[in-house]
Amino acid sequence: MPYSVSHHKLTQILSAHGLKAGDAGGIDKLFGGNDGYYWFGTLRDLCPPGKTLVWESQYDMVNAIQAHENATAEEDEMKPQVPSAANIAALSKALHDPL
């Protein structure tokens, strides 16, 4: 099953749930609870404006997100975070593309 992300798609996801980009509590819940807002921000940073990133599988999507997190954490000389199972499930639900 393919997955994709773009700034437009993220805006549509928030809008469908009655949320705005600054609604940290609502975005936390939407993207898996603890750190949901963090992973939403990571997706926005990962995806260049005006572009759509597409992955063929959940595994590819999660690896791309984690690779981006690892790279940015290294730049900031911090330990990278790892999405929880709840974050991954919520991200997968939000970003999957129907066939």
Side-chain angles (χ1 to χ4, degrees):
M1 176 181 334
Y3 297 83
S4 67
V5 68
S6 67
H7 286 236
H8 179 72
K9 185 173 184 175
L10 290 171
T11 299
Q12 286 182 317
I13 291 167
L14 294 183
S15 181
H17 290 87
L19 300 171
K20 302 266 187 224
D23 185 350
I27 294 172
D28 261 351
K29 290 177 187 171
L30 180 62
F31 286 96
N34 238 7
D35 292 329
Y37 188 78
Y38 180 85
W39 294 109
F40 169 79
T42 300
L43 288 171
R44 286 190 58 83
D45 291 345
L46 172 65
C47 188
K51 302 287 183 187
T52 300
L53 299 178
V54 178
W55 302 282
E56 292 300 316
S57 70
Q58 181 186 41
Y59 180 79
D60 293 337
M61 178 191 70
V62 171
N63 281 340
I65 293 167
Q66 190 63 59
H68 178 73
E69 169 64 11
N70 293 350
T72 56
E74 184 176 334
E75 288 172 10
D76 296 338
E77 297 179 0
M78 308 233 357
K79 183 178 176 186
Q81 293 192 44
V82 177
S84 69
N87 295 135
I88 292 170
L91 292 168
S92 298
K93 181 179 177 182
L95 301 180
H96 85 277
D97 294 324
L99 297 175

